[in-house]
């Protein structure tokens, strides 16, 4: 039995995180009391944000390590429930917390394709990829492909091609976190971006995957508490029951009446590229319950398939495939991740419905000079504005402009909850955005350190691996911070592009590598290359018609790229040289769920040979 298998997780983890949860809840209750005693809102917000941030850094420092296996795979002893929590945090992220819930507010039923796809994608990944990647034991997904095909070129190619999706998601998560910090702390956007970059770089540098795992577990707890508490309170106020996922259907009839009074009428679907709401405040003109009123059935299915394949092959999720003690534990961790993601996916529609009902009930036939107080609160944070375009003295739905990413924060405000609930929600979104950002950062930098440098210096004799990883993390965080300090991106559009890139580039090659014995390095190169070429074409042409009225959007390109990648991988493998005996032996061992990880076994053999 290998040393990594003998080392068990700390048996007191549950107690530690129970204490952490109690401390955070105590902080919220204390600040709620101070608010009632007259504390200024600015001090409440600063305490609520800064104390958890300091806690994340302390946890990361406590998990610091100089051991290579701990740094890249958290010692292969993360319990399933904690790994599942981090998987959910990476998949949802700040983009899901803010942008997806806002998309539900605007599109209603039509936005369910996103949440359902994330859940389905994690299920697909847990069935098709994750157990076998755990058996392989490689620290990165490109390293697995290099070992599977005995090819340095395949490893280098995969390492380069995983940079775009991981970098896009890193930029999106840093922006979300920076917006929250700049909203509640006296910092400019550029300084907020710099603070976020420094925090995630410090968390990742001190302990790699180990410090990332335990700080992200704490961040997941904070995000779960901050998301659930205001939602449950509002559910009790509106339905008398603390189960919003089961009771928000009672609000459909009053919601439809409020929408009718404020001028919301059925709409016709438009192209997917224009149907999804943007970051800037806009009107909500589609009924919440109307099916396929914003996107067509074809676009709904296309978006669902694209995001499902993208989530299944997302590099930042697959990088966590080697952190548990066994293949069985890795399967359990995926099951926990599916549970957490599915719980969020069925809770977010309830939140969007409650916000929509509270908003439209309050503005229905309300005079323009006597609007609800929460409108002013949201306007102060630049999350909403109104415009009485027809000068009739009332505000209709088409005259209420709401920011997509502010819908979560609008819930406690519209429900007239104490200000501490608003900041609690913001802290929850900040926590999950930091967890996802650090994971994407480690995926990028870990690949540079383990794939790029190992190709040049296989034995790490010239440049120590951890030193290279530290430099890569710092450089990547700096590059992301500089980019976001000057660039404007829409986090939902960027996230969809990242998932589409993962679907086109990596899903075909992973499917063939794990499930087809005959696949060779040439087939892998063609699968990667065709997927990337398709996505590059879609991004280069943008929304310009290619053939007649046909537009190659990123979502369509993802499915086309995945299909072409599968076809190219099949043809390249059949026409090229047959797999070598070493490749066939590796494939047979990969399919066996028992025993140690193949990478650990190879490392022990290399160490034994070097000692002789």
């Amino acid at each position: 039995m290998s040393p990594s298998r003998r080392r068990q997780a700390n048996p007191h983890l549950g107690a530690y995180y129970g204490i952490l949860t109690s401390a955070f809840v105590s902080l919220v209750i204390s600040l709620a009391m101070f608010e009632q005693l007259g504390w200024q809102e600015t001090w409440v917000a600063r305490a609520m944000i800064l104390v958890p941030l300091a806690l994340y850094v302390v946890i990361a420092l406590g998990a610091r390590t100089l051991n290579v296996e701990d740094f890249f795979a958290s010692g292969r002893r993360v319990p399933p429930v904690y790994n599942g929590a981090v998987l959910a945090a990476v998949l949802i992220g700040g983009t899901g917390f803010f942008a997806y819930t806002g998309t539900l507010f605007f599109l209603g039923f039509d936005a369910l394709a996103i949440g359902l796809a994330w859940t389905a994608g994690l299920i697909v990944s847990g069935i098709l990829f994750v157990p076998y990647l755990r058996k392989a034991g490689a620290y990165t997904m490109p390293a697995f492909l290099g070992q599977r095909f005995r090819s340095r070129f395949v490893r280098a190619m995969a390492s380069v091609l995983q940079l775009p999706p991981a970098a896009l998601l890193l930029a999106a998560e840093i922006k979300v976190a920076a917006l929250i910090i700049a909203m509640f702390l006296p910092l400019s956007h550029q300084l907020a971006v710099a603070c976020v970059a420094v925090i995630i770089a410090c968390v990742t540098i001190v302990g790699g995957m180990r410090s990332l795992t335990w700080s992200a577990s704490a961040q997941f707890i904070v995000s779960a508490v901050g998301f659930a508490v205001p939602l449950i309170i509002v559910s009790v106020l509106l339905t008398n029951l603390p189960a919003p996922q089961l009771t928000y259907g009672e609000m459909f009839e009053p919601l439809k009446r409020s929408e009718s009074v404020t001028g919301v009428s059925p709409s016709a679907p438009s192209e997917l590229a224009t149907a999804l709401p943007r970051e800037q405040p806009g009107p909500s003109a589609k009924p919440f319950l109307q099916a396929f009123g914003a996107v067509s059935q074809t676009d709904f299915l296309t978006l669902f398939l694209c995001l499902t394949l993208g989530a299944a092959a997302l590099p930042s999720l697959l990088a966590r495939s080697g952190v548990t003690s066994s293949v069985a534990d890795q399967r359990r961790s995926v099951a926990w991740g599916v549970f957490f993601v599915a719980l969020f996916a069925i809770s977010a529609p309830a939140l969007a419905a409650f916000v929509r009902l509270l908003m439209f009930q309050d503005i229905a036939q309300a005079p323009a000079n006597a609007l609800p107080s929460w409108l002013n609160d949201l306007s102060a944070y630049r999350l909403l504005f109104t415009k009485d375009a027809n000068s009739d003295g009332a505000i209709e739905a088409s005259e209420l402009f709401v920011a997509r990413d502010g819908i979560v924060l609008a819930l406690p405000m519209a429900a007239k909850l104490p200000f501490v609930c608003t900041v609690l929600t913001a802290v929850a979104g900040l926590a999950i955005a930091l967890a996802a950002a650090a994971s994407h950062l480690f995926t990028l930098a870990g690949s540079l350190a383990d794939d790029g440098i190992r190709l040049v210096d296989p034995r790490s004799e010239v440049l120590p691996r951890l030193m290279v990883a530290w430099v890569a993390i710092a450089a990547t965080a700096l590059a992301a911070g500089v980019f976001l300090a000057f660039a404007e991106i829409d986090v939902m559009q960027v996230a969809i592009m990242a998932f589409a890139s993962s679907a086109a580039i990596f899903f075909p090659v992973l499917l063939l590598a794990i499930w087809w014995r005959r696949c060779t390095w040439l087939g892998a190169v063609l699968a990667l290359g065709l997927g990337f070429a398709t996505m590059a074409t879609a991004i280069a042409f943008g929304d310009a018609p290619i053939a007649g009225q046909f537009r190659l959007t990123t979502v369509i390109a993802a499915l086309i790229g995945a299909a072409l990648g599968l076809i190219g991988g099949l043809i390249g493998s059949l026409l090229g040289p047959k797999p070598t005996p070493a490749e066939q032996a590796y494939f047979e061992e990969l399919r066996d769920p028992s025993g140690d990880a193949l990478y650990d076994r190879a490392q022990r053999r290399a160490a034994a040979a070097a000692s002789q």
Side-chain angles (χ1 to χ4, degrees), residues 111-123:
L112 291 177
I114 300 174
L116 294 176
W118 285 341
T119 307
L122 196 53
I123 294 173

Side-chain angles (χ1 to χ4, degrees), residues 347-526:
S347 301
L351 185 147
F354 288 158
V355 175
R356 196 173 175 97
L357 174 66
L358 292 170
M359 281 189 173
F360 284 22
Q361 275 187 339
D362 281 355
I363 68 170
Q365 300 300 320
N369 57 357
L371 294 175
S373 59
W374 55 263
L375 283 172
N376 295 327
D377 296 336
L378 286 170
S379 298
Y381 291 106
R382 299 180 181 178
L383 300 177
L384 176 150
F385 68 89
T386 59
K387 180 167 57 177
D388 188 10
N390 53 14
S391 302
D392 62 351
I395 299 298
E396 298 180 353
S398 60
E399 299 169 332
L400 180 68
F401 295 82
V402 186
R404 179 199 63 199
D405 299 345
I407 294 301
V408 178
L409 300 178
L411 177 67
M413 292 185 184
K416 302 177 179 64
L417 300 184
F419 176 74
V420 70
C421 291
T422 300
V423 187
L424 173 62
T425 304
V427 169
L430 174 62
I432 201 169
L434 289 174
S439 298
H440 300 313
L441 174 63
F442 184 79
T443 300
L444 286 168
S447 182
L448 291 173
D450 193 60
D451 298 318
I453 300 301
R454 288 293 292 274
L455 293 173
V456 180
D457 184 20
R459 297 182 180 274
S460 301
E461 295 175 347
V462 179
L463 294 173
R465 294 174 71 183
L466 293 188
M467 185 179 296
V468 173
W470 297 337
V471 173
I473 291 169
T476 304
L478 177 62
V482 171
F483 171 76
L484 285 173
F486 302 99
E488 287 293 334
I489 62 171
D490 185 292
V491 295
M492 178 56 78
Q493 298 292 330
V494 165
I496 290 176
M497 187 180 298
F499 280 97
S501 298
S502 295
I505 298 171
F506 295 112
F507 188 88
V509 70
L510 287 170
L511 187 65
L512 294 172
I514 294 174
W515 290 92
W516 191 34
R517 186 195 316 270
R518 182 66 175 78
C519 188
T520 64
W521 71 270
L522 181 59
V525 169
L526 287 177

